[in-house]
Amino acid sequence: MKKQAVLTHSKLGLAIALALSSTVAQAQQQDASAADAAIEEVVTTGTRLQGSAAAVVEERKAQAFVADILGAEQISRTGDSDAASALRRVTGLTLVDGKFIYVRGLGERYSSTQLNGASVPSPDPTRNVIPLDMFPASIIESMSVQKSYSPDMPANFGGGNVDIRTVSIPTDEIFDISIGTGWNSNFSDDGLSYSGGGDDWMGKDDGTRALSPEMLSALARYQESINSASIASFEGISIAEANEINRQLAASMNTENEVYTESMKPDLKGSLTYGNNYDLGSDFTFGFLAGVDYDTGWSNSETTEKVLGIANSETVINQASESRVTTQDVEVSGLLNFGLQWGDYHRVETSTIFLRNSSDRVERGGIETPNSIDEANLSYYDTDIRYEQRELLTNQIRGSHYFPELWGFALDWQYADSRATRDAPGEVFYRQINDRDLGDGVGNLAFQQTRTATTLQYQILEDDAQDWRVDGELPLYFGGMEVLVKGGGQVSKKARSSFSRRFAISAEGVANEALQNVGYNDLFSDANILDGDFGLSLFGAPTATDPNYLAAQQVEAGYGLADIQLNSDWRVSGGLRWEQYTQVAAQLDIRDMTMIGDIENAGRIEDDIYGSLALTYQLNDEMQLRFGYGSTVVRPDLRELTEVIFVDPITNFKVRGNSELLTTDIDNFDVRWEWYLPSGENYSVAMFYKDLANPIEAVEAKGTDSDRVITFLNGQSGEVYGLEFEFLKDLTSIADGLFLSGNFTLSDSEISIANTGNVELTNNTRRMTGHSKYVTNLQLGYDSLNGEHSASLIYNVAGERIAFAGVKQGEMGIDDAFEQPFHSLDFVYTYYPDFNSKLKFKVQNMLGEDVEIEQNDRLIQTRTVGTGISLEYSYSF
C-alpha cells in the first residue's frame, strides 16, 4: 500500500507537489516529442470533465476534514454565471433567493464565507453574510465547501464554510476574451422603466436619484426635521416663509418617476483577461493577472401575493396583489493580481478584487387591502421603484514560505482589507386609487389626499473588514509515524454604519380633482411644488425606528492542531481553537446623534475554546472512511442586535432586530465513506448530525393584518441530521464520452421555539426555516473523443422548505408557509472549433417552472421565471 507524505496535506506542500507534477509532465511530453516528432494530437479515453476534475478530486481526497471542491471547469460545464448558482450543484447545498446558500438545510446565517481564506464584509442590510451572486464565475478558480470543522477555520461555523478562491498568477502568458448575449421567454411582454432612471450602464447611479446638494445642506442645518414648523422654529421666521423654504427643498429632489413600458433589451456580457510570468534572474519570477468582466441583463416576471388572516374561525385573505416586476442588473468586476516568487520555496502575492452589482427594479400592479377587499369597484394601484448598488473592494496580500533548513517548517500569512457598500440613492413608492376590482384591469387612477402621496427613501450602508492571519506548520517523524503540527492566529475586525432618511410629499392640501387621472411627473412637477396655492408640501422628520445604527465586531483567535499519520491505514487530525468575540451595536437617533437605549446593553464579550477531531481510515488504495466531530458557534450578526426596522430588499418584508439574542452552540458529527477509482469514477456516502443549543430563527412578529414583520428568536433546541450520496459514473459502455454524475441529500431537522409576548407561533416544534428534506443534482454529460463537442443536461431540485413560520391570530393559528420544489432543468452545449476558441449555448429552466409558496393549502405567492437562452463566444491563447 502506498504511503502518503504528510507534507502534501499542507497548502504549500500541495502547491509544491502540483508544481513538481507539472514539471514531470512537461518533461515527459518533451521526451515523447523527441521520440516521435510527428505526433500532433493526443487522444485520451477520459472525458473533459474527468480530466479537469482530477485536481479537485485529489484535493478533496487529501483533506483531513470532510469537504467538497468545485473547480472552474465544473462551473463552466454547468453554465452557472456566479458563485451562488454554481454552489447549488454541491451535495447538500440549496440556493435561496438566488443569492444565499443553505448548507445541509441550515440558513445562510449558519454558513460562513471566505475569499481566498479571508473574511469578507456584506452589503446586505438584513444579513451578515455576503450575497454570493456578487462573485462572477469568471474570477473563480475553485470553491471549497468544508462541512466538518477544523480549528484553523473561524469557529463561527454551522452548516459549513465556503471559501471562494479567485484565479491566480499564470505560469505562462494567457489572454482570454469572451462576449455573449441572452434572451428570456418573459421578454415577450414589455418591461417597465421610468423617466428618472438616468444613465446607469456601468451600474452606478449618475446622480439623478441622489439627494440634491440643497437637501444635503438643509439636512445638516435642520437635523431634527425639514418640516415647515421645524424650519420656522429653527430660523425664527413665519410659517409662510418656512413653507417657501420647504417647497424649494422639495423642488430640488428628483420627482421624475413616471413609469412606462418598453420592449426588453437582450442580455449582454463580456470579459477580458490577460496575464504573464517573467523570469527576473537570480531565482526571481514575477507574474501578474488582470481581468475585467461586464454583464447586464433584464428580467421580467409576473408576481402574485396573498396575506392570510383569521375571521369567524376560518382562514381568509386579508390582502391580495398582482404585479409585474422588471429588473435590470448590471455587474462589473475587476481583478488585479501580482506575484513574486524567489527560489522554489518563497512566494508573495497580492490581489485586488472589485465587484459591483446594481439592480434597478420597478414593480407595478394592483392590490386589495383590508380597506378595499370587500368593496366593489375599488382597489389600489401601487408603484414601487428600487435602485440599489452593491460594491465590494478587497485588497489582499499573502505569502507562503518553506524552510527546508528548519526541518521543513512552512509559514503562510495573509492580510486583507475590504469594504462593502450598499447605496440605495432613491427608492420611490406611491399608491393610487383604482375604480376597478383586482384582476379587472386598470381604470381611472387617482392619487390620495394623504401625507404620503409619494414617499422617497435614501439609504447608505458601509461594512468594513480587516483580517490578519498567520499559519505555521512543521512535519515531525517518529519511527514509522508522521506528524504535521500546525498552529496560528487570526484577528478579524468589522465595522458597519447604516443611515437612512425617508421623505414624503403630502397632497393633503391638493384639490381632489387635481389628483384624478394625472401622471406622476405632472402632479409632482416643479411648477406644482413651488406653487403655494397648489397644496403640495414636504415632510421628513426622523423617527426612533429608522434604520440608523453603528456596529463593530472583533474576533481574536489562536489555534493548534496535529495531523498524524499513525500507519499506512490510520490518520488522526484534531486540535483546539480559542476565540474571543467582542461586539457593539448601537441604534442612533440622528435628530441629535445620540444612542437609543441603554449603553450597558449595547456590547457583549464572549470567549471560549472550540475543538475538533477527525479520523481517516484507509480501507485500501481506493477507499477511505472518515469520522469527524467539531464544537462550533453561530453568533447574532451586527444588525440583529439592534431594534431598528429594515425592509428586506429580497423578500419585501419588514425585519426588526432583537437585542436579547443569544449565541448558538453547535455539536457537529460526520461520517463519510469515499471510493476513488483510477478511471476517474468516484462514489461517496455520508451521514451527519448537528445538535444546536439556542438556535437563532427568523419568525413573524405580531403586526397588522396587511403588514408582515419578521424578527429573530432563540429556540430552546434544534437538530439537523441526514444522508448524502455522491457519484461520478463513466458510461462509455453505452456511448463513448458519456458520463453521469450527481448527488442526493436526504435530511430532516427540528427546532423548538417558545411563544413570547410579541411572537405567537402556530407550531412551536417544527422543521427549521429554509430546510429541505431532499436535494437532488444530476448531470448527464457528453464529451466527444475528438475534443470538439461537449454537452450537459443538468437537473436540480430541492424539496419544499418553510419560507416563514405561521403565527396565531387569537386562538387559531395559520400554518407555516412552504416554498414548493423548483425543478430546474438546464442544457449546456459547447463547441470547440479549434484549440483556442469555444462557442457555448445554454438553455436554463427548460421546464418553465415558477416559484410558488403555499400556506393553508392556498397559493399565496407566485413568481414567473421564464426560460433563458444564451450564447457566448470566447477566445484564449
Side-chain angles (χ1 to χ4, degrees):
M1 182 176 296
K2 186 177 180 181
K3 201 170 185 178
Q4 198 169 29
V6 172
L7 177 61
T8 60
H9 300 155
S10 70
K11 295 178 182 177
L12 184 61
L14 280 172
I16 294 172
L18 288 172
L20 290 174
S21 65
S22 176
T23 303
V24 172
Q26 290 175 2
Q28 290 174 341
Q29 186 177 10
Q30 290 171 357
D31 293 342
S33 298
D36 188 358
I39 295 179
E40 296 181 355
E41 183 179 9
V42 177
V43 178
T44 65
T45 57
T47 69
R48 183 183 298 272
L49 178 64
Q50 288 170 331
S52 65
V56 295
V57 168
E58 283 302 313
E59 180 181 356
R60 187 177 85 163
K61 185 178 179 181
Q63 289 274 0
F65 300 88
V66 175
D68 290 312
I69 314 295
L70 195 64
E73 179 62 30
Q74 294 166 288
I75 298 172
S76 175
R77 177 118 207 169
T78 56
D80 296 313
S81 59
D82 56 62
S85 300
L87 284 168
R88 65 184 170 135
R89 315 293 183 185
V90 176
T91 310
L93 272 61
T94 53
L95 178 63
V96 178
D97 297 323
K99 302 173 184 289
F100 302 102
I101 288 296
Y102 284 28
V103 180
R104 290 177 164 175
L106 290 168
E108 78 279 347
R109 75 165 56 254
Y110 292 96
S111 301
S112 53
T113 301
Q114 294 179 305
L115 182 63
N116 296 320
S119 60
V120 285
S122 172
D124 192 284
T126 59
R127 296 169 178 84
N128 200 34
V129 294
I130 187 166
L132 293 176
D133 65 321
M134 288 193 67
F135 295 92
S138 60
I139 73 167
I140 299 173
E141 188 169 87
S142 66
M143 290 188 287
S144 170
V145 182
Q146 187 163 321
K147 296 178 179 178
S148 66
Y149 177 66
S150 58
D152 58 344
M153 305 190 69
N156 193 70
F157 180 104
N161 176 271
V162 177
D163 188 16
I164 301 173
R165 300 137 167 198
T166 57
V167 290
S168 57
I169 307 298
T171 56
D172 296 299
E173 183 180 24
I174 65 166
F175 175 80
D176 292 293
I177 186 171
S178 69
I179 187 169
T181 186
W183 179 87
N184 189 284
S185 60
N186 285 344
F187 285 11
S188 57
D189 298 323
D190 287 340
L192 301 175
S193 188
Y194 57 103
S195 54
D199 185 7
D200 309 314
W201 71 276
M202 281 298 293
K204 187 174 180 64
D205 179 52
D206 58 5
T208 58
R209 301 177 181 84
L211 286 170
S212 65
E214 296 87 347
M215 179 61 78
L216 292 174
S217 177
L219 292 176
R221 183 173 178 80
Y222 313 117
Q223 289 186 3
E224 182 175 343
S225 171
I226 48 84
N227 299 349
S228 293
S230 300
I231 295 174
S233 174
F234 184 89
E235 299 286 4
I237 59 179
S238 67
I239 286 293
E241 292 173 310
N243 285 339
E244 179 62 26
I245 296 175
N246 178 274
R247 288 193 293 269
Q248 291 288 344
L249 292 175
S252 73
M253 304 178 75
N254 175 29
T255 54
E256 292 188 0
N257 296 299
E258 192 79 55
V259 172
Y260 56 87
T261 59
E262 65 176 359
S263 59
M264 305 287 288
K265 301 179 180 66
D267 298 345
L268 178 65
K269 66 182 302 181
S271 65
L272 180 67
T273 304
Y274 180 74
N276 208 342
N277 206 296
Y278 305 94
D279 187 358
L280 304 180
S282 301
D283 280 342
F284 281 89
T285 302
F286 171 77
F288 77 94
L289 181 73
V292 293
D293 185 280
Y294 176 82
D295 190 350
T296 180
W298 295 76
S299 64
N300 209 23
S301 63
E302 304 289 335
T303 67
T304 66
E305 184 173 357
K306 296 180 178 67
V307 177
L308 302 183
I310 301 294
N312 299 322
S313 300
E314 292 183 353
T315 305
V316 298
I317 298 173
N318 280 337
Q319 179 172 292
S321 64
E322 298 175 355
S323 61
R324 176 179 298 180
V325 180
T326 301
T327 304
Q328 182 190 11
D329 291 304
V330 179
E331 299 175 6
V332 181
S333 64
L335 179 142
L336 181 62
N337 290 353
F338 294 103
L340 181 65
Q341 182 167 333
W342 59 99
D344 295 327
Y345 305 129
H346 303 280
R347 181 181 182 90
V348 174
E349 186 173 348
T350 67
S351 295
T352 297
I353 301 167
F354 172 76
L355 307 173
R356 178 189 294 155
N357 185 309
S358 297
S359 176
D360 197 359
R361 179 183 183 275
V362 184
E363 180 175 5
R364 201 172 206 193
I367 181 170
E368 293 271 19
T369 71
N371 295 330
S372 67
I373 201 163
D374 293 325
E375 298 289 334
N377 299 320
L378 176 63
S379 62
Y380 298 98
Y381 196 66
D382 286 355
T383 301
D384 193 357
I385 300 172
R386 298 185 189 179
Y387 177 90
E388 69 168 355
Q389 176 186 309
R390 301 176 297 165
E391 288 187 357
L392 173 67
L393 175 63
T394 180
N395 294 289
Q396 301 178 338
I397 180 170
R398 51 190 172 270
S400 295
H401 310 276
Y402 177 60
F403 303 94
E405 68 276 13
L406 298 178
W407 307 282
F409 176 71
L411 179 71
D412 292 336
W413 56 269
Q414 178 169 265
Y415 169 71
D417 185 284
S418 307
R419 165 169 285 192
T421 61
R422 177 184 182 266
D423 186 17
E427 298 182 354
V428 182
F429 177 81
Y430 52 96
R431 171 169 289 178
Q432 297 165 280
I433 300 172
N434 183 18
D435 63 358
R436 295 186 184 180
D437 290 326
L438 184 67
D440 290 342
V442 179
N444 296 306
L445 297 179
F447 283 88
Q448 301 180 80
Q449 283 182 315
T450 64
R451 179 164 292 190
T452 55
T454 182
T455 59
L456 303 97
Q457 183 160 298
Y458 304 81
Q459 298 182 16
I460 181 70
L461 180 148
E462 292 184 353
D463 204 4
D464 295 294
Q466 292 178 310
D467 192 278
W468 298 262
R469 69 174 298 158
V470 59
D471 303 277
E473 55 189 39
L474 179 68
L476 303 173
Y477 302 91
F478 302 95
M481 185 171 65
E482 303 176 22
V483 180
L484 181 69
V485 179
K486 186 175 181 180
Q490 184 174 9
V491 177
S492 298
K493 296 182 178 181
K494 280 188 177 184
R496 173 177 282 198
S497 62
S498 172
F499 294 98
S500 175
R501 286 301 298 261
R502 186 172 183 266
F503 304 92
I505 298 181
S506 170
E508 292 172 299
V510 179
N512 190 56
E513 58 270 15
L515 301 175
Q516 309 293 319
N517 295 315
V518 61
Y520 186 96
N521 289 1
D522 292 332
L523 176 61
F524 299 106
S525 65
D526 288 350
N528 285 345
I529 290 174
L530 294 172
D531 185 353
D533 295 327
F534 189 77
L536 294 174
S537 57
L538 179 66
F539 287 86
T543 67
T545 59
D546 288 339
N548 300 304
Y549 70 94
L550 299 175
Q553 181 187 93
Q554 178 170 298
V555 178
E556 301 165 275
Y559 75 94
L561 67 85
D563 189 0
I564 306 171
Q565 192 78 43
L566 292 174
N567 50 46
S568 58
D569 297 330
W570 282 98
R571 178 183 178 186
V572 181
S573 303
L576 299 173
R577 182 183 184 92
W578 168 83
E579 280 194 357
Q580 179 170 282
Y581 156 75
T582 306
Q583 180 162 301
V584 178
Q587 184 181 356
L588 296 178
D589 187 341
I590 62 172
R591 291 172 290 189
D592 51 10
M593 294 305 293
T594 58
M595 176 182 168
I596 299 174
D598 190 347
I599 192 170
E600 295 181 358
N601 298 325
R604 59 176 63 187
I605 299 177
E606 301 173 358
D607 71 280
D608 209 337
I609 294 176
Y610 308 92
S612 74
L613 179 66
L615 304 175
T616 302
Y617 177 64
Q618 199 78 27
L619 298 168
N620 53 47
D621 287 337
E622 299 175 352
M623 292 185 192
Q624 59 186 19
L625 187 62
R626 301 178 182 273
F627 306 88
Y629 166 76
S631 63
T632 60
V633 67
V634 170
R635 306 179 178 108
D637 71 29
L638 291 172
R639 194 211 61 79
E640 289 175 352
L641 293 176
T642 65
E643 299 287 344
V644 298
I645 295 179
F646 270 103
V647 175
D648 190 317
I650 300 173
T651 64
N652 205 30
F653 299 156
K654 291 182 178 179
V655 181
R656 184 179 63 232
N658 177 5
S659 59
E660 298 181 358
L661 281 179
L662 302 176
T663 294
T664 302
D665 294 309
I666 308 175
D667 288 316
N668 308 268
F669 301 88
D670 287 275
V671 179
R672 185 156 85 173
W673 169 81
E674 300 169 352
W675 185 18
Y676 300 96
L677 297 173
S679 63
E681 294 182 356
N682 59 80
Y683 305 87
S684 70
V685 180
M687 294 185 295
F688 62 89
Y689 175 80
K690 296 178 182 291
D691 182 52
L692 297 86
N694 302 316
I696 302 173
E697 187 85 342
V699 297
E700 185 176 350
K702 289 182 178 179
T704 66
D705 289 341
S706 59
D707 196 12
R708 183 172 285 130
V709 178
I710 303 298
T711 189
F712 306 95
L713 281 183
N714 286 110
Q716 292 95 336
S717 62
E719 60 179 357
V720 182
Y721 50 90
L723 293 171
E724 295 175 341
F725 308 88
E726 186 175 0
F727 68 92
L728 172 62
K729 173 63 178 174
D730 188 5
L731 299 179
T732 53
S733 58
I734 300 175
D736 289 337
L738 197 66
F739 67 90
L740 179 67
S741 65
N743 54 71
F744 309 94
T745 301
L746 302 173
S747 64
D748 207 349
S749 65
E750 184 175 279
I751 188 171
S752 297
I753 304 180
N755 290 336
T756 68
N758 194 41
V759 176
E760 294 287 336
L761 298 175
T762 302
N763 300 310
N764 298 107
T765 300
R766 54 170 172 77
R767 238 193 300 164
M768 297 186 72
T769 300
H771 180 262
S772 296
K773 286 190 173 183
Y774 66 88
V775 181
T776 300
N777 284 289
L778 290 173
Q779 179 180 176
L780 180 63
Y782 169 76
D783 290 320
S784 64
L785 293 184
N786 63 10
E788 294 181 357
H789 310 275
S790 70
S792 294
L793 189 65
I794 309 123
Y795 174 73
N796 168 267
V797 66
E800 68 172 17
R801 54 192 176 216
I802 297 177
F804 52 88
V807 294
K808 287 185 177 180
Q809 294 187 9
E811 295 299 319
M812 291 190 62
I814 303 173
D815 289 341
D816 301 327
F818 288 89
E819 182 175 344
Q820 299 304 297
F822 185 96
H823 298 269
S824 171
L825 183 64
D826 303 336
F827 173 75
V828 181
Y829 166 75
T830 307
Y831 171 57
Y832 303 87
D834 53 53
F835 186 76
N836 301 104
S837 57
K838 63 180 179 181
L839 189 67
K840 180 181 293 184
F841 173 73
K842 178 172 61 178
V843 183
Q844 292 181 296
N845 193 23
M846 296 174 63
L847 302 178
E849 290 278 282
D850 296 333
V851 176
E852 297 181 342
I853 297 178
E854 292 185 359
Q855 188 176 29
N856 281 68
D857 298 322
R858 296 174 185 256
L859 195 60
I860 65 163
Q861 286 187 24
T862 65
R863 176 173 59 85
T864 61
V865 177
T867 299
I869 300 173
S870 64
L871 186 67
E872 181 179 357
Y873 172 78
S874 59
Y875 178 84
S876 63
F877 68 82

